[in-house]
Amino acid sequence: MAGEQLALTVLMGLLLVGVAALLTRIEDWQAYTPFGGGSVTGEETSYGHSEKPGGVIRWLTTVDHKDIGILYGAYALVAFAVGGIMVMIMRLELLFPAEDFITTGFYNSLLTSHGITMLFLFGTPIIAAFGNYFVPLLIGADDMAFPRINAIAFWLLPPGALLVWGGFLIPGIAPAQTSWTMYAPLSVEQTHLGADLMIIGLHLTGVSATMGAINFIATIFTERADDVSWANLDIFSWTMLTQSGLILFAFPLLGSALVMLLLDRNLGTLFFAVEGGSPILWQHLFWFFGHPEVYILVLPPMGLVSYIIPRFAGRKLFGFKFVVYSTLAIGVLSFGVWAHHMFTTGLDPRLQASFMAVSLAIAIPSAVKTFNWITTMWNGKIKLATPMLFCIGFVANFIIGGVTGVFLAAVPVDRLLHDTYYVVGHFHYVIMGAIAFAIFAGIYYWFPIYTGRMYQKSLAKMHFWLTMIGTNLTFFGMLILGYLGMPRRYATYNITIGPIDAITLLHQLATVGAVVLLIGQIIFVWNIVSSWREGRRVENGDPWNLKDDDLYSREFHWFDERLDDDLALADGGDEDKAMTDGGEESTDVDSERQ
Amino acid sequence: MAEQADVGDRFPTASPWPLFVAVGFTVTELGLFIGIFPVAVAGVLLFGASVAGILTEAEYVGHLWKTMGVFGAVLAAIGLAMVVYGGGVGVEAALGAIDAPNVVGNRLVSRGLAVGAAGIILAVTAATGELLEPAR
Ligand code: HEM
Ligand SMILES: [Cu+2]
């Protein structure tokens, strides 16, 4: 009844005003400043961590770019695990042709949630994690340009994830079954409350990405140290800048389209109805966002690879300028190819031809990068440490992912392969085989910086090989499945025509690959967690011997200074750095060098 | 130390507001899109109050209560406009809309009422605050 609702509202209102009043009261966190003294945990250090409150409150209130980077990273890895478990259930269901142990409806829900989780809750945030932690260090900034906006952007993500997964978490409501592309009319007509929650959650993550992007752009433009010019800006920051530009144009559009979808669903508008704006309008809006989104996901990982490969090849990045130009070229072109996802919708053939041309053209800057990576390694002093292994894996997998993309961009080929497993194989080669690999490379490469410790080398190598083998088993199998005509997004394949035996075998191969991947990732998590807690301390500001080849860089310089500070005086801010003097362990460092 | 203070000044290391801004925004969207009146009001309130809070803390604006008051007034105006445009003027119509927010004819009105109500509460809170504590 309206009365009840109003009573509830008044109650909530009072509660909130109370909370707000309380907050304005304790708002003076400045009581934590060194000058205020008297804080529980704050002790003076020479690099300004002292103002942070302690414990959980520190993490809930932090606006420090490094803390926020860690929060993003932790969040993204949790999402990676959730999305991974979802897809494991799907792959097990696909082990045999029939509907075995989950319903097709549940399969569809998992499929939808897996895609959204991996792209929006893992991919975009993990890149923001690297960006937040390292861009300010790489460009010599004290922090991001807008620290509070940075924190808001992060805090939009956990509610976003809960909403995206809401259909599974809240008993009694059905999760969305729209697939990640949310095509109308299905997405408008599906009554599941889970779909509304998912769309709202997705909208939140979009707002978050946009805020983050504005912050990166402002930071890279205005906060660079005096000696960091456009000419010597590092390659990772270049890709973050370009990516942020793409986000700025792509995500607000997704946000608007999602709002239109919500209005169609709940307020009776007709944006995507046949008698209104037409369902095809959704596809145009979605892919105008969607294609740039794949480059939003791939550019910073490409930056990571361009940044890391030279450091294990003992020489500078070959053709640095052209790597930057190709980044910018991809950024621009990526907005001109969206209809290659719509070749089978009855688009005017002249338009199809032009979208085909631009899509083929975008392969050129991608190839420029690939050749630059290969040339950088050519005749170099290759050190096969884990970060480098993942970078080489990136290049290998990206070539397969890219070439299959070029095939798909050709209209006649796409007619055959559209909506088959070939497409699934194509984009997983890029997303898992390349993007995730670069992320792993970054996690291992900078591990000493954000943990002060070294990971376990042999576990890391196992992680690499299992991931490399698993990825190729799973996704190469999918490419062949696609050639055999197996359509994507089905929970079953108990068909009576076609090469059924081969299809079954390839599906089983893909599932075996997925299990191999899972084992690899369990090793990864174990390695990260245990090394973070008790790995060997890194006492040397140059754990990768970059100085030998004159490739030492700003973030390790910063790390080195911090090590010196730690030796000079005890750090009160956070307990695992409390060691005042680790000098006796320095002899171990050599054995960590790979 | 002087250099330190500088950095601390420009770059705060902690703020209570971002979390609340984010949660407020989330709850607002949930309430407004799905159409749950109390949730929508709560969301707008939390969002409005924390935006006023964070702006004051960051010194983008000088006065907490004034900011909150202006914010509330604007929201109240928007809400009222939605109600009028949706044809929901009158106690009967308003209560009906809150009761059945997703019925044709009530959709806009119910959302408008939520925004408007939250705006008014914000404005009143701000006025009270100004009376009790004019310094902020
Ligand atoms: C070398 C440049 C690339 C070209 C020419 C290309 C081309 C294509 C084409 C034509 C399709 C549509 C296939 C179909 O549905 O019939 C497609 C799908 C897709 N591509 Fe690519 N691609 C390229 C690179 C990438 C990259 C770098 C990523 C990821 C970061 C990516 C991710 C995807 C995804 C996610 C889909 C499937 C979307 C869906 O329907 O769910 N592609 N690609
Ligand atoms: Cu595309």
Side-chain angles (χ1 to χ4, degrees):
Chain A
M1 285 288 88
E4 274 169 40
Q5 300 239 28
L6 286 177
L8 205 62
T9 310
V10 172
L11 214 68
M12 283 229 201
L14 283 177
L15 193 78
L16 284 170
V17 172
V19 170
L22 199 73
L23 274 176
T24 55
R25 217 117 309 256
I26 52 171
E27 173 203 60
D28 285 318
W29 297 96
Q30 270 64 19
Y32 288 102
T33 54
F35 307 106
S39 80
V40 208
T41 50
E43 251 172 75
E44 295 190 17
T45 71
S46 53
Y47 53 98
H49 279 193
S50 45
E51 297 164 53
K52 283 175 196 169
V56 184
I57 300 288
R58 163 184 170 185
W59 293 103
L60 293 177
T61 61
T62 183
V63 295
D64 176 322
H65 72 100
K66 295 187 293 301
D67 288 352
I68 293 179
I70 297 285
L71 285 173
Y72 265 111
Y75 169 89
L77 288 181
V78 169
F80 189 52
V82 173
I85 290 166
M86 285 172 169
V87 83
M88 278 315 297
I89 301 174
M90 288 155 62
R91 279 296 351 152
L92 289 176
E93 170 62 38
L94 289 169
L95 203 49
F96 299 103
E99 185 177 347
D100 302 312
F101 75 100
I102 58 173
T103 62
T104 50
F106 190 61
Y107 181 93
N108 293 346
S109 307
L110 289 175
L111 173 80
T112 306
S113 204
H114 164 73
I116 302 246
T117 301
M118 287 308 199
L119 293 173
F120 297 96
L121 310 182
F122 164 65
T124 320
I126 194 89
I127 292 170
F130 283 112
N132 265 298
Y133 204 106
F134 290 103
V135 165
L137 299 183
L138 287 168
I139 67 173
D142 292 321
D143 202 310
M144 298 287 283
F146 307 113
R148 291 183 187 82
I149 289 187
N150 207 15
I152 297 177
F154 172 75
W155 285 111
L156 283 168
L157 288 176
L162 290 178
L163 289 174
V164 167
W165 301 329
F168 295 98
L169 299 177
I170 305 172
I173 69 167
Q177 300 185 14
T178 57
S179 165
W180 84 282
T181 52
M182 297 169 284
Y183 277 7
L186 178 67
S187 56
V188 178
E189 287 164 7
Q190 201 166 79
T191 48
H192 307 175
L193 183 58
D196 288 303
L197 298 184
M198 182 186 82
I199 298 168
I200 294 173
L202 200 53
H203 187 238
L204 294 176
T205 67
V207 173
S208 156
T210 312
M211 295 175 99
I214 293 171
N215 217 341
F216 280 119
I217 294 175
T219 306
I220 296 177
F221 266 90
T222 62
E223 302 289 333
R224 275 173 297 143
D226 294 335
D227 57 336
V228 179
S229 67
W230 289 114
N232 64 14
L233 185 63
D234 67 280
I235 189 68
F236 178 62
S237 301
W238 269 113
T239 54
M240 283 303 296
L241 181 65
T242 314
Q243 182 229 26
S244 300
L246 294 186
I247 289 180
L248 206 56
F249 287 98
F251 266 93
L253 184 112
L254 172 74
S256 317
L258 290 173
V259 168
M260 288 154 80
L261 188 58
L262 280 168
L263 294 179
D264 270 15
R265 287 176 61 86
N266 295 301
L267 281 103
T269 54
L270 298 172
F271 289 112
F272 306 122
V274 176
E275 64 274 32
S278 109
I280 293 292
L281 174 64
W282 170 263
Q283 293 197 26
H284 279 294
L285 294 180
F286 183 82
W287 288 115
F288 187 85
F289 149 80
H291 190 85
E293 163 70 4
V294 306
Y295 281 96
I296 286 167
L297 288 169
V298 86
L299 283 178
M302 283 174 161
L304 282 176
V305 168
S306 310
Y307 191 81
I308 295 173
I309 283 184
R311 288 174 171 72
F312 293 92
R315 44 156 73 159
K316 297 217 153 50
L317 181 64
F318 182 84
F320 183 94
K321 260 192 199 168
F322 289 92
V323 179
V324 173
Y325 293 152
S326 64
T327 304
L328 299 174
I330 289 176
V332 174
L333 286 176
S334 67
F335 282 99
V337 301
W338 78 89
H340 67 210
H341 296 275
M342 301 168 60
F343 284 151
T344 56
T345 55
L347 210 63
D348 186 315
R350 287 163 295 185
L351 282 177
Q352 292 189 30
S354 64
F355 276 104
M356 171 169 116
V358 185
S359 302
L360 295 176
I362 210 168
I364 296 170
S366 312
V368 167
K369 285 174 178 293
T370 309
F371 285 120
N372 277 292
W373 294 321
I374 295 174
T375 323
T376 305
M377 290 188 276
W378 194 277
N379 271 342
K381 284 189 295 174
I382 308 275
K383 285 180 276 183
L384 288 181
T386 309
M388 183 63 161
L389 286 176
F390 273 105
C391 287
I392 297 173
F394 175 107
V395 177
N397 293 332
F398 182 70
I399 291 175
I400 303 183
V403 169
T404 49
V406 175
F407 287 177
L408 285 173
V411 176
V413 181
D414 188 66
R415 288 279 159 86
L416 272 175
L417 295 177
H418 177 63
D419 260 347
T420 68
Y421 262 80
Y422 188 85
V423 178
V424 185
H426 153 64
F427 67 76
H428 278 93
Y429 257 102
V430 186
I431 290 175
M432 180 68 210
I435 295 173
F437 272 53
I439 304 253
F440 290 136
I443 290 178
Y444 287 118
Y445 180 62
W446 281 322
F447 196 78
I449 293 196
Y450 56 85
T451 65
R453 296 170 189 265
M454 189 47 104
Y455 57 80
Q456 296 154 66
K457 213 164 84 172
S458 52
L459 289 181
K461 295 234 157 100
M462 261 155 79
H463 174 218
F464 168 75
W465 285 110
L466 289 171
T467 310
M468 188 71 187
I469 293 167
T471 300
N472 279 281
L473 274 182
T474 306
F475 302 123
F476 207 83
M478 290 190 182
L479 291 178
I480 307 175
L481 274 173
Y483 280 131
L484 295 180
M486 172 77 206
R488 63 192 283 206
R489 297 180 176 137
Y490 281 88
T492 61
Y493 48 99
N494 46 356
I495 34 178
T496 47
I497 47 161
I500 299 158
D501 290 343
I503 287 181
T504 309
L505 192 69
L506 287 164
H507 267 303
Q508 289 170 346
L509 193 73
T511 301
V512 171
V515 174
V516 175
L517 274 173
L518 179 69
I519 298 171
Q521 305 327 301
I522 291 172
I523 294 177
F524 165 67
V525 171
W526 168 254
N527 190 1
I528 295 299
V529 172
S530 64
S531 305
W532 199 316
R533 299 184 59 187
E534 48 209 25
R536 292 217 189 115
R537 283 189 176 278
V538 175
E539 304 294 346
N540 172 348
D542 184 15
W544 301 115
N545 292 333
L546 301 174
K547 281 178 182 156
D548 295 355
D549 299 307
D550 203 17
L551 290 163
Y552 200 56
S553 47
R554 241 171 211 283
E555 80 281 22
F556 276 104
H557 188 72
W558 173 87
F559 174 62
D560 194 32
E561 279 184 355
R562 206 180 58 163
L563 280 180
D564 288 348
D565 289 345
D566 278 359
L567 293 181
L569 69 165
D571 180 329
D574 102 79
E575 97 288 338
D576 64 339
K577 278 197 228 89
M579 224 159 118
T580 41
D581 184 1
E584 78 276 4
E585 278 180 33
S586 60
T587 44
D588 289 342
V589 171
D590 270 320
S591 59
E592 294 299 335
R593 290 180 186 158
Q594 311 195 19
Chain B
M1 267 337 274
E3 181 202 339
Q4 266 295 292
D6 263 11
V7 173
D9 218 25
R10 265 237 40 213
F11 293 107
T13 53
S15 162
W17 295 110
L19 177 60
F20 290 94
V21 175
V23 174
F25 189 69
T26 308
V27 179
T28 305
E29 287 213 342
L30 264 177
L32 287 182
F33 281 122
I34 301 195
I36 321 169
F37 186 77
V39 175
V41 174
V44 178
L45 271 181
L46 185 56
F47 183 63
S50 10
V51 167
I54 201 168
L55 288 177
T56 322
E57 189 207 40
E59 294 175 3
Y60 284 133
V61 295
H63 302 277
L64 175 68
W65 301 125
K66 274 190 194 139
T67 313
M68 201 193 265
V70 172
F71 210 68
V74 171
L75 286 175
I78 294 175
L80 196 71
M82 285 165 77
V83 173
V84 173
Y85 183 75
V89 192
V91 178
E92 197 94 329
L95 288 181
I98 292 175
D99 231 9
N102 288 332
V103 170
V104 181
N106 286 349
R107 288 165 169 162
L108 196 61
V109 177
S110 59
R111 273 83 177 174
L113 281 171
V115 174
I120 292 169
I121 301 178
L122 271 180
V124 171
T125 313
T128 321
E130 179 71 32
L131 279 179
L132 297 178
E133 222 184 3
R136 275 183 188 269

